[in-house]
Amino acid sequence: MAVAFRGGCNGVGSGLRSFFSYRIFISALFSFLFLATFSVFLNSSRHQPPHDHTLPSGGNAYMQRTFLALQSDPLKTRLDMIHKQATDHLTLVNAYAAYARKLKLDASKQLKLFEDLAINFSDLQSKPGLNGNALEEDAFRLLEKEVKDKVKTARMMIVESKESYDTQLKIQKLRDTIFAVQEQLAKAKKSGAVASLISAKSVPKSLNCLAMRLVGERINNPEKYKDAPFDSAVEDPSLYHYAIFSDNVIAVSVVVRSVVMNAEEPWKHVFHVVTDRMNLAAMKVWFKMRPLDRGAHIEIKSVDEFKFLNSSYAPVLKQLESAKLQKFYFENQAENATKDAHSLKFKNPKYLSMLNHLRFYLPEMYPKLNKILFLDDDVVVQKDVTGLWKINLDGKVNGAVETCFGSFHRYGQYLNFTHPLIKESFNPNACAWAFGMNIFDLNAWRREKCTDQYHYWQNLNENRTLWELGTLPPGLMAFYSKTKSLDKSWHVLGLGYNPGVSMDEIKKAAVIHYNGNMKPWLDIAMNQYKSLWTKYVDNEMEFVQMCNFGL
């Protein structure tokens, strides 16, 4: 029993100890929570405004600040966001203002608004709070409202301006693109002009082949190609005489053949062909192998046979002996060719060759003739042209088709009117005319002493100060006020460079002219006009077939 009682007492004591221990733990816990809450309340009450004693507002402020203070300061976070918005929109406004200035809108209302807005944003950034100073709740709200209003205004202005600015930007980009394309086009044109000039200056393989075979034929059969006896028709002034100066055999044959095929009385037509020494044999062999049809006459000579043409008489020959001119023509051509297509054109030695300047000596070359029709080797005669001899030139020397229209192809484009001699001697608005088909009254030429005029101006132009080069400028000067204008249907030009010459004009023309670089015997010829020339090529000539002209 004693043992049992002791055990019971022990059990009761243990339960009581457990009960009191639990009470003590709960009391201590509540005491701790009370002290902690009281401490927080005291700290919070220090920041309350003196006039604010009402429990609800104090409680709300206390509850908000109690929990947010444990994490971060809410004003600081919102202030940072507002500062970022203000800074971003200030940058955007400044960008649009700068672009408005670039578009030369300085006087516009938009630029003024953008500049004012940028100033407002700058002022905002200098206010307390945004510059790092502490800020009270009410002041912060006012600042936040002001910033939001400015941001809203900025966004509205940007939306209104964006469309017009985007249009201006597109226009500017389009202008930049057009400028870049124009630069590329200019380079392409320059390259094309250089390539075209090189093609025009070079001798095609087929032409070289033809000349070589003709010369070979002469060497192999010397007896067969002896010079023909003198033909009195070449000095008969009652016949129709033509002057053709060229070193191109196939071109001369086309000109002569086209005249003969379209002539009503071909036996009355006489052709005076002059070439250089190198091509003389080939020219003679061609017309020996392919004599003219229907009784037409031909005389073939070398320029060397006209003994009066020497450096003491002809300025061109004298100038060709000049070391300065030789340097201009023959030195560094490959280097200069890629730099300037215009200068490359005038560096072609043909512009100062005697063969090209023979046209100024017609009265002396053919002293017994009264009239002569000068033809370039790149023309085709489509009709009987004897009507040219019947035209009354009214005492003038040269009958030619004028080429001026508007302000184009007038004397001012060919001569240097900054030179005092040119300025006082010629009218810059005088209408220019074309070489290539000209009917010359040789008696009037002798009377007016046009060759002396040509010599005068050619001597003065040794340094190329009066005109660049070529035969048209001195022709315009030598025959100034001595040229009779012919109807344009006599001579249609441009088939060697202008794809816009109408077929109606061509069909009506007595003579068509392939002036320009795209000669009909070259690969670069314009296809729409080439057949007008090729139909007069003598394809039955064996050497034409052998040399593969590709006609």
Side-chain angles (χ1 to χ4, degrees):
M1 287 293 290
V3 174
F5 176 74
R6 193 179 293 115
C9 289
N10 288 339
V12 172
S14 176
L16 288 171
R17 281 195 301 271
S18 298
F19 173 74
F20 282 110
S21 296
Y22 178 73
R23 291 278 308 271
I24 292 169
F25 171 76
I26 293 299
S27 298
L29 180 62
F30 274 101
S31 298
F32 175 77
L33 288 173
F34 174 77
L35 290 173
T37 304
F38 185 73
S39 175
V40 169
F41 177 78
L42 289 176
N43 288 334
S44 174
S45 64
R46 292 177 194 169
H47 300 288
Q48 294 295 325
H51 60 277
D52 187 10
H53 299 292
T54 59
L55 184 59
S57 62
N60 289 337
Y62 159 72
M63 291 298 293
Q64 291 172 2
R65 293 296 185 90
T66 297
F67 292 103
L68 291 175
L70 295 175
Q71 299 175 13
S72 62
D73 186 352
L75 288 180
K76 182 68 171 65
T77 302
R78 287 165 65 189
L79 197 61
D80 288 344
M81 291 176 62
I82 291 171
H83 182 268
K84 187 175 186 307
Q85 272 189 318
T87 303
D88 290 348
H89 282 78
L90 174 61
T91 304
L92 197 59
V93 166
N94 280 328
Y96 271 87
Y99 195 70
R101 291 187 199 97
K102 184 179 177 182
L103 295 177
K104 298 180 180 179
L105 299 174
D106 302 81
S108 71
K109 183 180 178 182
Q110 285 182 338
L111 178 60
K112 185 73 169 62
L113 290 173
F114 277 124
E115 287 179 339
D116 291 345
L117 199 55
I119 293 170
N120 290 339
F121 272 117
S122 298
D123 292 344
L124 279 176
Q125 287 189 315
S126 64
K127 286 194 172 184
L130 283 183
N131 61 7
N133 298 330
L135 198 68
E136 297 296 334
E137 179 78 21
D138 292 342
F140 169 77
R141 287 179 179 173
L142 289 173
L143 177 62
E144 183 180 34
K145 183 178 183 302
E146 189 175 359
V147 170
K148 284 182 177 180
D149 289 343
K150 298 296 182 186
V151 167
K152 184 179 178 181
T153 303
R155 286 179 177 173
M156 288 174 63
M157 285 180 60
I158 289 169
V159 167
E160 290 175 3
S161 306
K162 192 173 188 302
E163 185 176 352
S164 64
Y165 282 12
D166 284 350
T167 302
Q168 292 291 337
L169 185 60
K170 288 174 184 175
I171 292 171
Q172 187 61 43
K173 285 182 177 178
L174 186 59
R175 284 176 179 167
D176 293 342
T177 303
I178 291 171
F179 178 77
V181 170
Q182 285 176 338
E183 287 285 300
Q184 292 176 352
L185 181 61
K187 288 180 181 177
K189 281 184 175 179
K190 183 177 178 180
S191 300
V194 170
S196 179
L197 286 167
I198 291 171
S199 299
K201 285 173 63 178
S202 60
V203 178
K205 185 178 178 180
S206 54
L207 277 180
N208 185 63
C209 166
L210 179 62
M212 292 300 101
R213 289 193 177 276
L214 290 168
V215 172
E217 176 70 14
R218 172 70 179 262
I219 293 170
N220 293 332
N221 303 283
E223 295 296 324
K224 187 178 177 181
Y225 297 103
K226 286 183 178 180
D227 289 342
F230 177 75
D231 183 357
S232 61
V234 299
E235 294 182 347
D236 187 347
S238 66
L239 302 179
Y240 304 111
H241 293 265
Y242 301 80
I244 306 168
F245 307 143
S246 173
D247 57 2
N248 187 328
V249 178
I250 194 78
V252 171
S253 72
V254 167
V255 176
V256 172
R257 200 160 187 254
S258 67
V259 173
V260 172
M261 289 177 66
N262 291 292
E264 294 177 2
E265 300 175 309
W267 57 89
K268 291 185 178 181
H269 294 256
V270 183
F271 300 92
H272 301 269
V273 176
V274 181
T275 187
D276 55 26
R277 189 177 356 179
M278 184 181 297
N279 291 280
L280 180 63
M283 199 77 73
K284 285 185 173 182
V285 171
W286 174 281
F287 286 102
K288 192 75 172 182
M289 293 179 70
R290 308 300 295 174
L292 300 187
D293 296 331
R294 304 167 66 195
H297 308 271
I298 189 165
E299 174 193 46
I300 302 171
K301 285 189 174 184
S302 166
V303 66
D304 299 323
E305 295 181 47
F306 298 95
K307 299 301 180 182
F308 69 91
L309 293 173
N310 52 60
S311 59
S312 62
Y313 178 68
V316 168
L317 292 176
K318 183 180 179 181
Q319 289 166 12
L320 277 174
E321 294 175 355
S322 162
K324 186 186 294 185
L325 210 60
Q326 287 178 9
K327 182 178 180 181
F328 174 78
Y329 274 110
F330 302 109
E331 289 188 13
N332 300 323
Q333 285 205 48
E335 179 184 343
N336 294 331
T338 56
K339 293 181 180 178
D340 186 1
H342 184 67
S343 71
L344 176 63
K345 171 184 175 182
F346 289 103
K347 284 202 170 189
N348 190 339
K350 81 165 191 176
Y351 285 106
L352 213 58
S353 72
M354 195 62 236
L355 199 60
N356 203 39
H357 284 253
L358 275 181
R359 64 193 71 190
F360 295 107
Y361 299 97
L362 288 170
E364 294 161 280
M365 294 171 70
Y366 308 108
K368 294 186 178 181
L369 301 183
N370 300 324
K371 281 190 176 181
I372 196 166
L373 181 64
F374 171 76
L375 295 176
D376 270 341
D377 64 356
D378 54 354
V379 304
V380 169
V381 177
Q382 301 186 122
K383 297 178 180 179
D384 183 275
V385 291
T386 55
L388 287 167
W389 276 263
K390 299 170 186 174
I391 293 175
N392 183 2
L393 295 181
D394 299 325
K396 297 187 183 295
V397 177
N398 174 29
V401 169
E402 292 183 337
T403 56
C404 62
F405 60 95
S407 61
F408 296 99
H409 297 288
R410 296 187 179 274
Y411 271 56
Q413 288 185 272
Y414 298 96
L415 304 177
N416 177 18
F417 275 87
T418 62
H419 195 288
L421 265 178
I422 297 292
K423 190 174 182 179
E424 68 184 31
S425 302
F426 304 100
N427 178 4
N429 295 318
C431 189
W433 42 265
F435 262 135
M437 190 226 69
N438 307 79
I439 183 71
F440 288 111
D441 184 333
L442 300 183
N443 292 325
W445 186 321
R446 296 179 187 108
R447 184 183 66 247
E448 296 291 342
K449 298 182 179 180
C450 294
T451 301
D452 291 343
Q453 285 291 312
Y454 158 71
H455 282 175
Y456 172 75
W457 293 111
Q458 189 68 43
N459 278 319
L460 290 175
N461 197 49
E462 184 174 358
N463 295 321
R464 304 179 304 281
T465 56
L466 305 185
W467 70 90
E468 288 186 291
L469 282 172
T471 54
L472 181 57
L476 294 174
M477 301 165 87
F479 302 117
Y480 182 62
S481 73
K482 303 177 184 71
T483 298
K484 169 82 171 182
S485 176
L486 302 180
D487 188 274
K488 292 186 183 296
S489 63
W490 280 111
H491 187 192
V492 169
L493 299 103
L495 278 69
Y497 72 91
N498 181 11
V501 181
S502 73
M503 292 308 296
D504 287 339
E505 278 186 273
I506 291 171
K507 288 176 182 176
K508 294 175 184 176
V511 177
I512 55 174
H513 195 168
Y514 292 83
N515 58 310
N517 292 325
M518 301 178 190
K519 303 300 185 188
W521 54 84
L522 298 176
D523 291 337
I524 60 173
M526 287 185 276
N527 291 329
Q528 66 265 41
Y529 306 136
K530 192 168 185 177
S531 62
L532 300 169
W533 183 84
T534 56
K535 72 179 181 179
Y536 291 106
V537 174
D538 190 350
N539 289 302
E540 294 180 5
M541 208 289 188
E542 56 181 299
F543 293 155
V544 171
Q545 299 171 11
M546 293 170 65
C547 289
N548 191 26
F549 267 83
L551 302 174

